Amino acid sequence: MDQEAAAERALLASVDGSDVPGPVAAEFLALAASLMDASTVRGVLVRVVEAARAVVPGADLVSVTLRAAGGFHTPVETDPLATRLDEIQYRLDNGPCVDATRKAGLGLTFCSDLAASTRFGPFGPAAADLGVHSVLAIGLFPDGDGPRMGALNIYSRQVAGLDELDRDLALVLAAHASTALAATMAATSAELEAAQLRQALESRDVIGQAKGILMERRKIGADEAFGVLRSASQALNVKLAQVAKTLVDRRTEV
C-alpha cells in the first residue's frame, strides 16, 4: 500500500467508530476549514505548521522551507531553533529540507539518527549538537520531478523520534498545504493580473485625455500630441502615463 493510502488508514484509525471524529481527524477537519479562510501564502503556512505541531506525535519543531530567486528561506516556524536548523542546510546546500525540494516522487526525506548519519554531511552532527536527532521533510507543490517550491520540515529531539505514522500524517499535511498554496498563489496571480490590467486601462485612458488636451490647445493631430508627451517623458525621465496624468490634473494651469 502506498504512503497516501497508509495515511488515510491512519486517519480512519483515529475515528472511534461513531460519527464523532477522533482528535487527529478533528485536527485535519479544522485545518481544512482554516485553510479555506487563508488569503495569503503566509496565512496558509502558519496554519500548516501549527497543525503539524499538534497532530504529528513526534514533532518537537516544525518549519517550512520556501524556494526563492536568491535561494531558500524559512518564512514560518514553531520555534527559532527550527529556523536555525534550516539555515544550516541552506548554507551547506545539503540537508533534508533542501533534499525534499529536489527529490522526485513524494519528496520524502527522513533520518532517524542525525548524529550517526553521514548522508547530509556536516548537518547531521550539527543538528545533534543542537539537541535534535530525527528529521522528516516533505516537498511541497508541485508534485513530480521538481524542483518544488519548498518543503514541510518536522524535527524531533529524540533518536528515532519520528515513526511511520508521523510520516503518513506529515504526507497528508503536505498535501493539504500544497493544495492550499496552489489555490492561494493562483488567486494572488489573478488579482495581480487584474490590477495590472486596470492600471494599463487607466494609463491608456489618461494618455488619451492628455492627447485630447494638447490637440485642442495646440491644434495638432493625435500622433503629434503623443510625440509631445513622449518627448516630455524622456526629458523629465518620468513615465509617460505620469506626464499625461500631470497634464490632465493641471489642465487649467497650462
Side-chain angles (χ1 to χ4, degrees):
M1 182 175 291
D2 63 23
Q3 292 278 10
E4 292 186 5
E8 293 295 336
R9 187 178 70 247
L11 288 179
L12 291 173
S14 70
V15 181
D16 63 7
S18 69
D19 292 332
V20 179
V24 174
E27 285 285 352
F28 276 98
L29 289 171
L31 173 63
S34 68
L35 288 177
M36 291 179 65
D37 295 331
S39 58
T40 65
V41 169
R42 180 174 176 78
V44 169
L45 297 179
V46 167
R47 287 163 172 78
V48 169
V49 297
E50 289 174 348
R53 181 68 183 83
V55 304
V56 177
D60 291 318
L61 316 168
V62 183
S63 67
V64 167
T65 290
L66 283 187
R67 181 191 297 274
F72 298 103
H73 70 286
T74 301
V76 295
E77 27 91 309
T78 60
D79 188 293
L81 179 56
T83 296
R84 187 174 176 186
L85 293 164
D86 293 349
E87 289 177 345
I88 293 172
Q89 297 171 71
Y90 304 157
R91 288 196 298 272
L92 296 171
D93 194 36
N94 188 19
C97 69
V98 173
D99 189 52
T101 68
R102 298 168 175 164
K103 193 171 183 178
L106 293 173
L108 178 65
T109 302
F110 176 72
C111 182
S112 62
D113 189 352
L114 286 165
S117 175
T118 59
R119 179 180 176 187
F120 302 114
F123 170 70
D129 286 344
L130 292 171
V132 172
H133 295 276
S134 302
V135 63
L136 166 64
I138 300 172
L140 296 176
F141 171 74
D143 293 332
D145 295 333
R148 293 174 173 83
M149 69 175 295
L152 174 65
N153 313 312
I154 299 174
Y155 299 98
S156 171
R157 298 182 187 278
Q158 306 299 317
V159 173
L162 297 163
D163 60 18
E164 184 177 355
L165 175 59
D166 295 317
R167 281 174 274 178
D168 292 340
L169 292 171
L171 280 167
V172 178
L173 274 166
H176 274 73
S178 295
T179 301
L181 283 171
T184 301
M185 292 175 71
T188 301
S189 178
E191 290 170 1
L192 178 60
E193 288 178 6
Q196 290 172 334
L197 176 60
R198 284 196 301 273
Q199 184 178 29
L201 291 173
E202 290 168 359
S203 295
R204 187 176 68 178
D205 184 56
V206 77
I207 290 171
Q209 292 179 52
K211 282 169 59 179
I213 293 170
L214 290 171
M215 290 166 66
E216 179 186 0
R217 300 283 176 84
R218 297 194 179 188
K219 308 302 181 187
I220 57 178
D223 289 344
E224 191 175 353
F226 184 78
V228 171
L229 291 172
R230 184 173 56 189
S231 295
S233 170
Q234 293 171 346
L236 297 171
N237 195 26
V238 175
K239 290 183 178 180
L240 192 148
Q242 186 58 49
V243 171
K245 186 176 187 305
T246 300
L247 175 59
V248 170
D249 291 343
R250 304 180 66 176
R251 69 180 74 186
T252 59
E253 301 174 25
V254 297

